[in-house]
């Protein structure tokens, strides 16, 4: 006899498959993506000093340009006032910093939304 899956069975398979792909973020992958994309210029550790860019520990929910002792560009100091980094604005910043704060000096752009999301998920754990 041929196996003929019922509509119910197929529906379950679809639900199981989508649950697997929309599962919790793989934090190891998220950290690896952060190190690869941002690690040359940023750390995200309590109390650590800056690299080329400021320490990103606690950046989600923090006012732009507010790390004490980091010498931001004049553009970021001026344009950043009023910006509080949340997921939405971080996503736009990583896609194109100039579109958020023209004249900022972060030489980085990430066109892949999945990679941006991974990095942001990692930063959300660093606070
Ligand atoms: C080539 C070096 C470089 C890379 C790579 C880089 N950044 Fe930056 N980033 C900077 C610099 C420099 C600044 C300060 C910009 C300014 O003052 O205009 C900055 C600023 C920032 C800020 C603003 C911080 C604040 O205190 O307001 C965030 C957020 C940020 N970077 C996130 C990231 C993330 C996340 C990545 C990786 C996906 C990344 N950056 C990759 C150099 C870099």
């Amino acid at each position: 006899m041929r196996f003929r899956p019922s509509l119910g069975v197929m529906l379950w398979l679809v639900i199981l498959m989508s649950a697997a792909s929309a599962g919790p973020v793989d934090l190891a992958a998220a950290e690896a993506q952060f190190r690869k994309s941002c690690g040359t210029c940023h750390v995200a550790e309590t109390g650590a000093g800056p690299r080329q860019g400021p320490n990103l520990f606690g950046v989600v929910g923090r006012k732009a340009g507010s790390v004490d002792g980091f010498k931001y560009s004049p553009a970021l100091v001026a344009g950043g006032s009023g910006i509080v980094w949340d997921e939405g604005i971080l996503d736009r910043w990583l896609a194109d910093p100039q579109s958020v704060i023209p004249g900022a000096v972060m030489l980085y752009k990430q066109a892949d939304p999945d990679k941006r999301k991974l990095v942001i998920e990692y930063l959300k754990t660093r606070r």
Side-chain angles (χ1 to χ4, degrees), residues 37-38 41-42 52 62 64-65 72-73 85 93-94 104-106 108:
S37 300
C38 326
C41 303
H42 293 283
Q52 191 177 323
R62 183 168 87 193
Y72 293 97
S73 66
W85 296 115
W93 169 259
L94 297 182
V105 295
M106 175 162 130
Y108 177 86

Side-chain angles (χ1 to χ4, degrees), residues 1-113:
M1 200 175 92
R2 268 184 67 211
F3 173 63
R4 299 179 67 198
S6 70
L7 191 60
V9 167
M10 290 196 292
L11 211 62
W12 264 112
L13 283 176
V14 169
I15 290 170
L16 284 176
M17 275 156 33
S18 53
S21 61
V25 182
D26 178 346
L27 281 181
E31 180 170 2
Q33 187 67 55
F34 174 81
R35 289 190 193 285
K36 189 170 154 206
S37 300
C38 326
T40 332
C41 303
H42 293 283
V43 292
E45 309 295 334
T46 34
R51 290 190 178 164
Q52 191 177 323
N55 188 343
L56 294 179
F57 188 88
V59 74
V60 180
R62 183 168 87 193
K63 271 182 64 200
S66 63
V67 171
D68 265 352
F70 182 79
K71 210 170 174 318
Y72 293 97
S73 66
L76 199 140
V77 171
S81 58
I83 291 180
V84 173
W85 296 115
D86 65 14
E87 290 178 51
I89 197 145
L90 276 171
D91 189 59
R92 281 173 49 210
W93 169 259
L94 297 182
D96 181 11
Q98 296 298 316
S99 77
V100 177
I101 302 174
V105 295
M106 175 162 130
L107 297 177
Y108 177 86
K109 273 187 188 189
Q110 178 54 262
D112 181 341

